[in-house]
Amino acid sequence: MCGIVGIIGEGEVAPLLVKCLSRLEYRGYDSCGLATLNSVGIEIRKDIGPVEVVASRQNLDLAHGSTGIAHTRWATHGGVSRENAHPHFSCDRSFAVVHNGIISNHHILRAQLEELGHHFSSTTDTEVFSHLLEEEWRPGISVEESFVHALRRLEGTFAIAMISAHDPKRIFCAREKSPLTLGIAAGANIVGSDVNAFLSYTRQAVLLDDGEYAVVSKNDFRVKEIATGKSREKQIVQIEWNIEGSEKAGHAHYMEKEIWEQPEVIRRAMEVSQQEIVSLARLIVEAPRKLLIGVGTTYYVALFGQYLLASLAGEFAPALSSDEAANLALPDPDTLLLAISQSGETFDTLQGLRMAKAAGARSAAIVNVPGSSMTREADLVIRQNSGPEICVISTKAAMAQMVLLTRLAIELAYLKGRGREIQAFKIIDELDRLPEIFETMLKDLQQRVRRLALQYKDKRNWFFLGRGIYTPVAYECALKMKEVTYLHAEGMSAGFLKHGTLSLIDPETPSIFLMPPMEEKALYDLTMGSLEEVRARSGPVIAFNPNEERGKFDEELSLPKVSPWVAPLLHLVAGQLMAYETAVALERDVDRPRSLAKSVTVA
Ligand code: G6P
């Protein structure tokens, strides 16, 4: 969704801009560039390709100046080309702009500006802003005034950073429905799409709100309202995140590292205070209607929550994919909406949250990224504290969310007097043991999954099948496979298969069955029934198998024996590893899969 950075400091800022930009690459990586201000004016270097490639091809590090802005792009308006890469100049090259979001009235503005003689170099929506600035500026009008006038002419969503040769000691930035934060360091200030941009340099952050702009200099910053120009008092907040979280720590890819980090991430999810979970459980019990929302991986996490809340606590809380929530949900003051999001910025989920609040509903959120919009807008926030998740493919964040939802369902069960009936203390014990189980399991599975991946990597179509609570896990495993391998994978409830999709089963189409532990007899028997249907059509059957029985499948990955309530989490890890190892075997760009962005901040 595009990442933006701006730095104003003392020495050359280009090397630091490149480092900060690479921290935001999960927001997009089809092209990138930077602009620096120096004694001869503004210099722009940009090209297509990810940061590392463009940095060496265009010598980004060598651009001169102690003030600069940079951008990594995920194309929305205008194809992937050098011209469309940011930053964008005004005609006279006195303004340079980077932008994340969509300027919805760009056609009208462009026509007006062309009429006035402006020449455009790109087909992006963003470029209108640099020309607007040039148009608004004249001697006697400050750059800040020109910036604000130009901002007021924009419709749509934006996080913008701008530098100008007319005012070289400042960076100007603004936020409207696209994320933007400031990092406050000694002798330098940083503008970034989110805290990941500057976490290695400072933990002091200022979180901008929609409708605000900031004027940032080396030792100072001022925040004002775009609409009125009134000053806003802003707190400097301390971001408590592990800096090492941003490094690969000896792993080949961030995806692998983040899969292996899951034991630690579960520990941290177990450390989230009981009080917070109980508060959320109370909100749920008190609300006549409840909805869970998320999108992509977090929709599947929400679905997982739906199953848990129903089965452990007898609560019906339907999960909706937030991209469609607006068409289905109609929240009212009786509704409690629980949003689930790694980034806390995903447009669809944020919109669902805002819609619910506007309708008078109560709101809550489970979020990873500190300081993100959802952490500030939801009435009650559970911070999962999973540390930076860099790979575009979400793994550890989803795991922590599932653990937190399990804790939530247990607290709900207690509130409803069902704690003893579901033997809640045993489930908590199992969750506490889970990090240790995962540590052994990861070591144990790695080679076996690698072998399987090598053997099956050329199959073009895959199914991931499960029943009951294994269904959302099957969806999520299939999503991992699609995202990172570019192979077609469908996740489905195994019972649904016979209602049409069975026609696709053939000897070239492997089905991975998420087998429940045998003590869940009904679920186990039903899953076996579906498995036989696949086998009868000569479909290869691979099982993620937590049971001791062997030889019933073409291939199997045996999983540790745990209680039914935590078993689905083990299947999720097996699915993540399967996707990862298959992608490696196919030589895919694991951390930067084609066409994707981690944080989708447009509609
Ligand atoms: C994008 C990403 C997905 C992610 C989804 C929700 O679509 O590509 O990987 O699951 O957004 O993101 P969130 O940050 O809200 O969890």
Side-chain angles (χ1 to χ4, degrees), residues 587-599:
E587 298 180 9
R588 301 296 192 232
D589 191 349
V590 171
D591 288 329
R592 290 183 298 225
R594 68 185 181 201
S595 307
L596 301 186
K598 185 165 188 66
S599 181

PDB file of all heavy atoms in Angstrom, residues 587-599:
ATOM      1  N   GLU A 587      11.431 -21.623  -5.710  1.00  0.00           N
ATOM      2  CA  GLU A 587      12.267 -20.418  -5.815  1.00  0.00           C
ATOM      3  C   GLU A 587      11.448 -19.145  -5.937  1.00  0.00           C
ATOM      4  O   GLU A 587      11.726 -18.259  -6.749  1.00  0.00           O
ATOM      5  CB  GLU A 587      13.260 -20.554  -6.974  1.00  0.00           C
ATOM      6  CG  GLU A 587      14.209 -21.703  -6.759  1.00  0.00           C
ATOM      7  CD  GLU A 587      15.220 -21.876  -7.874  1.00  0.00           C
ATOM      8  OE1 GLU A 587      15.290 -20.996  -8.742  1.00  0.00           O
ATOM      9  OE2 GLU A 587      15.920 -22.901  -7.844  1.00  0.00           O
ATOM     10  N   ARG A 588      10.400 -19.060  -5.148  1.00  0.00           N
ATOM     11  CA  ARG A 588       9.591 -17.836  -5.135  1.00  0.00           C
ATOM     12  C   ARG A 588      10.256 -16.765  -4.266  1.00  0.00           C
ATOM     13  O   ARG A 588      11.064 -17.088  -3.391  1.00  0.00           O
ATOM     14  CB  ARG A 588       8.195 -18.115  -4.551  1.00  0.00           C
ATOM     15  CG  ARG A 588       7.399 -19.160  -5.285  1.00  0.00           C
ATOM     16  CD  ARG A 588       7.071 -18.730  -6.694  1.00  0.00           C
ATOM     17  NE  ARG A 588       6.076 -19.616  -7.272  1.00  0.00           N
ATOM     18  CZ  ARG A 588       6.192 -20.231  -8.441  1.00  0.00           C
ATOM     19  NH1 ARG A 588       7.270 -20.066  -9.186  1.00  0.00           N
ATOM     20  NH2 ARG A 588       5.221 -20.988  -8.893  1.00  0.00           N
ATOM     21  N   ASP A 589       9.836 -15.533  -4.482  1.00  0.00           N
ATOM     22  CA  ASP A 589      10.327 -14.427  -3.657  1.00  0.00           C
ATOM     23  C   ASP A 589       9.488 -14.414  -2.372  1.00  0.00           C
ATOM     24  O   ASP A 589       8.480 -13.728  -2.259  1.00  0.00           O
ATOM     25  CB  ASP A 589      10.166 -13.110  -4.440  1.00  0.00           C
ATOM     26  CG  ASP A 589      10.890 -11.965  -3.773  1.00  0.00           C
ATOM     27  OD1 ASP A 589      11.336 -12.128  -2.621  1.00  0.00           O
ATOM     28  OD2 ASP A 589      11.003 -10.899  -4.400  1.00  0.00           O
ATOM     29  N   VAL A 590       9.923 -15.229  -1.399  1.00  0.00           N
ATOM     30  CA  VAL A 590       9.081 -15.553  -0.245  1.00  0.00           C
ATOM     31  C   VAL A 590       8.586 -14.334   0.526  1.00  0.00           C
ATOM     32  O   VAL A 590       7.407 -14.218   0.823  1.00  0.00           O
ATOM     33  CB  VAL A 590       9.846 -16.509   0.702  1.00  0.00           C
ATOM     34  CG1 VAL A 590       9.097 -16.702   2.007  1.00  0.00           C
ATOM     35  CG2 VAL A 590      10.077 -17.844   0.018  1.00  0.00           C
ATOM     36  N   ASP A 591       9.484 -13.418   0.828  1.00  0.00           N
ATOM     37  CA  ASP A 591       9.061 -12.286   1.666  1.00  0.00           C
ATOM     38  C   ASP A 591       8.369 -11.190   0.872  1.00  0.00           C
ATOM     39  O   ASP A 591       7.794 -10.277   1.452  1.00  0.00           O
ATOM     40  CB  ASP A 591      10.269 -11.695   2.411  1.00  0.00           C
ATOM     41  CG  ASP A 591      10.741 -12.626   3.522  1.00  0.00           C
ATOM     42  OD1 ASP A 591       9.894 -13.346   4.085  1.00  0.00           O
ATOM     43  OD2 ASP A 591      11.951 -12.644   3.802  1.00  0.00           O
ATOM     44  N   ARG A 592       8.473 -11.281  -0.468  1.00  0.00           N
ATOM     45  CA  ARG A 592       7.849 -10.252  -1.301  1.00  0.00           C
ATOM     46  C   ARG A 592       7.068 -10.886  -2.428  1.00  0.00           C
ATOM     47  O   ARG A 592       7.417 -10.756  -3.603  1.00  0.00           O
ATOM     48  CB  ARG A 592       8.926  -9.332  -1.875  1.00  0.00           C
ATOM     49  CG  ARG A 592       9.573  -8.453  -0.840  1.00  0.00           C
ATOM     50  CD  ARG A 592      10.557  -7.523  -1.461  1.00  0.00           C
ATOM     51  NE  ARG A 592      11.632  -8.261  -2.097  1.00  0.00           N
ATOM     52  CZ  ARG A 592      12.913  -7.951  -1.971  1.00  0.00           C
ATOM     53  NH1 ARG A 592      13.278  -6.924  -1.264  1.00  0.00           N
ATOM     54  NH2 ARG A 592      13.830  -8.658  -2.590  1.00  0.00           N
ATOM     55  N   PRO A 593       6.007 -11.615  -2.133  1.00  0.00           N
ATOM     56  CA  PRO A 593       5.254 -12.277  -3.199  1.00  0.00           C
ATOM     57  C   PRO A 593       4.676 -11.247  -4.175  1.00  0.00           C
ATOM     58  O   PRO A 593       4.354 -10.125  -3.774  1.00  0.00           O
ATOM     59  CB  PRO A 593       4.127 -12.987  -2.461  1.00  0.00           C
ATOM     60  CG  PRO A 593       4.424 -12.877  -1.033  1.00  0.00           C
ATOM     61  CD  PRO A 593       5.407 -11.789  -0.816  1.00  0.00           C
ATOM     62  N   ARG A 594       4.563 -11.667  -5.420  1.00  0.00           N
ATOM     63  CA  ARG A 594       4.122 -10.715  -6.449  1.00  0.00           C
ATOM     64  C   ARG A 594       2.726 -10.159  -6.111  1.00  0.00           C
ATOM     65  O   ARG A 594       1.880 -10.862  -5.544  1.00  0.00           O
ATOM     66  CB  ARG A 594       4.116 -11.383  -7.829  1.00  0.00           C
ATOM     67  CG  ARG A 594       3.070 -12.456  -7.966  1.00  0.00           C
ATOM     68  CD  ARG A 594       3.172 -13.168  -9.299  1.00  0.00           C
ATOM     69  NE  ARG A 594       2.130 -14.180  -9.383  1.00  0.00           N
ATOM     70  CZ  ARG A 594       2.171 -15.226 -10.195  1.00  0.00           C
ATOM     71  NH1 ARG A 594       3.212 -15.420 -10.987  1.00  0.00           N
ATOM     72  NH2 ARG A 594       1.169 -16.082 -10.224  1.00  0.00           N
ATOM     73  N   SER A 595       2.508  -8.950  -6.464  1.00  0.00           N
ATOM     74  CA  SER A 595       1.206  -8.259  -6.396  1.00  0.00           C
ATOM     75  C   SER A 595       0.666  -7.975  -4.999  1.00  0.00           C
ATOM     76  O   SER A 595      -0.398  -7.388  -4.875  1.00  0.00           O
ATOM     77  CB  SER A 595       0.110  -9.052  -7.139  1.00  0.00           C
ATOM     78  OG  SER A 595       0.512  -9.345  -8.422  1.00  0.00           O
ATOM     79  N   LEU A 596       1.330  -8.434  -3.946  1.00  0.00           N
ATOM     80  CA  LEU A 596       0.732  -8.285  -2.612  1.00  0.00           C
ATOM     81  C   LEU A 596       1.315  -7.107  -1.834  1.00  0.00           C
ATOM     82  O   LEU A 596       2.377  -6.609  -2.147  1.00  0.00           O
ATOM     83  CB  LEU A 596       0.943  -9.557  -1.793  1.00  0.00           C
ATOM     84  CG  LEU A 596       0.377 -10.837  -2.383  1.00  0.00           C
ATOM     85  CD1 LEU A 596       0.541 -11.979  -1.391  1.00  0.00           C
ATOM     86  CD2 LEU A 596      -1.085 -10.673  -2.760  1.00  0.00           C
ATOM     87  N   ALA A 597       0.577  -6.692  -0.842  1.00  0.00           N
ATOM     88  CA  ALA A 597       1.093  -5.739   0.147  1.00  0.00           C
ATOM     89  C   ALA A 597       0.558  -6.197   1.483  1.00  0.00           C
ATOM     90  O   ALA A 597      -0.535  -6.751   1.562  1.00  0.00           O
ATOM     91  CB  ALA A 597       0.623  -4.333  -0.152  1.00  0.00           C
ATOM     92  N   LYS A 598       1.349  -5.969   2.501  1.00  0.00           N
ATOM     93  CA  LYS A 598       0.942  -6.469   3.804  1.00  0.00           C
ATOM     94  C   LYS A 598      -0.185  -5.648   4.414  1.00  0.00           C
ATOM     95  O   LYS A 598      -1.114  -6.168   5.004  1.00  0.00           O
ATOM     96  CB  LYS A 598       2.147  -6.449   4.741  1.00  0.00           C
ATOM     97  CG  LYS A 598       1.861  -7.056   6.082  1.00  0.00           C
ATOM     98  CD  LYS A 598       3.132  -7.339   6.807  1.00  0.00           C
ATOM     99  CE  LYS A 598       2.868  -8.119   8.063  1.00  0.00           C
ATOM    100  NZ  LYS A 598       2.342  -9.468   7.802  1.00  0.00           N
ATOM    101  N   SER A 599      -0.034  -4.345   4.273  1.00  0.00           N
ATOM    102  CA  SER A 599      -1.002  -3.482   4.919  1.00  0.00           C
ATOM    103  C   SER A 599      -1.785  -2.761   3.833  1.00  0.00           C
ATOM    104  O   SER A 599      -1.253  -1.894   3.148  1.00  0.00           O
ATOM    105  CB  SER A 599      -0.226  -2.500   5.799  1.00  0.00           C
ATOM    106  OG  SER A 599      -1.111  -1.671   6.468  1.00  0.00           O
TER     107      SER A 599
END
